[in-house]
Amino acid sequence: MKRRTPFLPLFGCVPSKISYLFLAFLTQLPPVANSIAIKTRLELGSGSNESAGNSNVTGSNNTATTGGKVFFLFLADDSLPNEEIWIRFFAPARPGLDFEALVHCRNELACRQGVGSRGLFQVIPTVPSTWCEDLVSPMNALLQAALRVDGAAAAEADSFTFISDTTVPVKPLKTVLQRMALDRRRGSSFCIAPKASWGVLDSNHSAVVKHSQWLTLSRQHARRVVASTHRMRNLMELATPNVMDEMLGQYLTTAYQSTLGKVFGRMPLNGCLDEYLYFALVYGFSDGGDNGTWPKPVLDDLHAGQLNMADSSAQDFQGQCDTFVYWGYGKQFSKLAAELRADSATHLEIPLWAHPAYFTNLSTMALRSLYKSDFLFARKIDSRFVRFVGQGAAATSLTDAFDKYIFDEE
């Protein structure tokens, strides 16, 4: 159910000629020196500390309290298209002890009658959401429900990972649990987008980091997010695209946003609230200090521990990217995409505008490539429309292919 707001046009869906003329005029002016302030864990907007809300989710006590377990938090419309693949994936483990699987659906009734009827996936009450503008509410609802599952018996080593309805696992469960157990000792995992797609706060010019929606939070950070559930919901209205700020300078971008932007439309951030909010809630904002990296004490509990803001690595994805989702760029993603597209039996379609690539055919080679990659999950794959093209004449379902080439590989 993921979506993308394109960077252009800069001033909303219907660009104004006056806006473009104004930008053309600004680009001819000399640059203005930037004044940059460091501010971490800045809280914007109103809000109060809140405990997790009521939920119908129940769970077993976590007996593996020292190692923790993984909460798989699914965002769906009215079903899980890859439900059978996930059932095979979860089969070797103990629900409630090794993992929990929670689902938020836009159509709660359909999900309860479908995916929720089999006992493995726990469907939570639906909360209102809006495409791109607010997927934060269902994400927070999943976190709230997950945090209540084990009550006082909850393990601090638990982790909470978000999964889309068109995502599939590309490693056996044992590998995923082992990797996440290692990762959660290092903190939360964010797949950080290239710096060109970040933003800067209008108020003090601090960096607003963009990240993938498909992130993993530690229990400590999940609690922090839930306690701040109403904070910074207006973040998209308080920041300017980094690329425009670098081109025009702080003074001109701030002047436009606070004056003409109110008339002709602000220069919007490239993306949606859920792709900026969670990093901001957990780690705050910063200019990176004198050495061009995020202040180290703030990121001690970030997997990778450091975020570069100045050197060439800032122009590519950083952090921990667990889900393969291809937007047409990024070294790690492009390398695997090129390998997949080189196989004539695999069809990875790249839309012309504003959406990630999606699969229509998967071959034996593709599954083996996904298995050997560094990714734990991949999207967009919808079992209702993706055909498996295997070796030999015998027809094999996509679910059986995952069993053979992904889950039985170890």
Side-chain angles (χ1 to χ4, degrees):
M1 60 187 292
K2 188 59 184 170
R3 61 294 157 273
R4 182 69 43 150
T5 299
F7 177 74
L8 294 174
L10 289 173
F11 304 97
C13 296
V14 182
S16 164
K17 292 183 179 179
I18 298 177
S19 300
Y20 285 127
L21 289 173
F22 179 76
L23 272 181
F25 167 73
L26 290 181
T27 56
Q28 303 305 312
L29 297 178
V32 179
N34 293 336
S35 60
I36 299 179
I38 298 177
K39 191 169 183 66
T40 58
R41 293 191 174 92
L42 179 67
E43 295 178 354
L44 305 175
S46 62
S48 59
N49 290 343
E50 298 183 14
S51 60
N54 293 330
S55 169
N56 296 335
V57 173
T58 59
S60 306
N61 286 338
N62 182 6
T63 58
T65 53
T66 56
K69 61 183 174 183
V70 178
F71 287 78
F72 293 85
L73 309 179
F74 291 84
L75 291 159
D77 287 325
D78 55 11
S79 66
L80 285 182
N82 302 314
E83 179 183 2
E84 294 299 328
I85 291 176
W86 283 102
I87 289 174
R88 303 277 184 97
F89 169 76
F90 287 130
R94 302 163 297 174
L97 296 177
D98 300 313
F99 74 95
E100 303 279 358
L102 281 64
V103 186
H104 178 277
C105 296
R106 292 176 62 190
N107 186 335
E108 181 182 345
L109 178 61
C111 278
R112 290 194 181 279
Q113 293 174 343
V115 66
S117 66
R118 304 178 70 165
L120 183 62
F121 299 90
Q122 302 183 56
V123 180
I124 71 167
T126 294
V127 299
S129 60
T130 304
W131 182 79
C132 192
E133 292 182 11
D134 182 17
L135 288 180
V136 170
S137 291
M139 291 175 72
N140 285 357
L142 283 165
L143 286 175
Q144 289 173 339
L147 287 171
R148 295 179 64 89
V149 167
D150 290 320
E156 283 301 308
D158 289 343
S159 56
F160 305 79
T161 188
F162 289 99
I163 306 290
S164 85
D165 54 358
T166 58
T167 292
V168 293
V170 294
K171 300 289 187 295
L173 179 63
K174 178 181 177 181
T175 302
V176 172
L177 295 180
Q178 288 176 340
R179 183 100 145 245
M180 289 198 165
L182 177 63
D183 289 351
R184 62 177 164 246
R185 291 200 294 268
R186 303 169 181 167
S188 294
S189 297
F190 285 81
C191 183
I192 308 296
K195 188 181 177 184
S197 61
W198 298 6
V200 293
L201 287 176
D202 296 341
S203 60
N204 62 14
H205 218 60
S206 296
V208 182
V209 173
K210 185 178 182 181
H211 57 81
S212 170
Q213 180 190 13
W214 315 116
L215 53 95
T216 299
L217 295 175
S218 65
R219 179 170 283 274
Q220 176 189 3
H221 289 165
R223 284 197 297 259
R224 183 180 300 169
V225 167
V226 168
S228 306
T229 189
H230 293 302
R231 291 177 179 162
M232 292 198 239
R233 291 299 187 97
N234 61 341
L235 180 58
M236 303 295 282
E237 302 169 11
L238 302 174
T240 297
N242 182 68
V243 65
M244 295 306 301
D245 183 80
E246 291 183 350
M247 181 173 71
L248 302 178
Q250 177 187 5
Y251 176 79
L252 292 178
T253 53
T254 302
Y256 177 86
Q257 298 285 57
S258 61
T259 56
L260 293 180
K262 296 180 179 179
V263 179
F264 302 113
R266 288 177 54 85
M267 293 181 281
L269 294 178
N270 174 28
C272 304
L273 178 61
D274 51 274
E275 296 171 316
Y276 293 91
L277 180 64
Y278 289 98
F279 191 95
L281 286 174
V282 171
Y283 298 112
F285 311 94
S286 173
D287 73 339
D290 295 334
N291 61 355
T293 61
W294 204 275
K296 182 66 174 177
V298 181
L299 296 187
D300 277 346
D301 48 4
L302 171 70
H303 184 190
Q306 178 174 296
L307 185 60
N308 294 315
M309 303 178 67
D311 61 23
S312 59
S313 61
Q315 307 310 314
D316 198 6
F317 286 89
Q318 301 183 70
Q320 177 66 31
C321 299
D322 288 328
T323 299
F324 173 77
V325 52
Y326 186 51
W327 292 95
Y329 57 89
K331 293 180 182 178
Q332 181 183 12
F333 297 92
S334 296
K335 180 181 179 181
L336 179 56
E339 185 176 336
L340 293 170
R341 299 187 80 195
D343 172 33
S344 60
T346 296
H347 295 169
L348 179 61
E349 309 293 337
I350 303 178
L352 293 177
W353 188 255
H355 291 281
Y358 60 93
F359 291 89
T360 56
N361 278 6
L362 278 169
S363 70
T364 303
M365 191 227 78
L367 293 182
R368 286 174 172 163
S369 294
L370 289 166
Y371 173 81
K372 293 176 182 178
S373 73
D374 291 331
F375 297 103
L376 298 178
F377 313 105
R379 68 183 300 258
K380 302 177 67 168
I381 297 171
D382 187 329
S383 295
R384 296 170 298 184
F385 309 113
V386 176
R387 185 170 66 100
F388 174 68
V389 182
Q391 299 172 342
T396 302
S397 70
L398 189 62
T399 300
D400 289 340
F402 268 79
D403 245 352
K404 181 176 181 180
Y405 298 108
I406 301 291
F407 305 146
D408 290 342
E409 284 291 290
E410 292 187 334

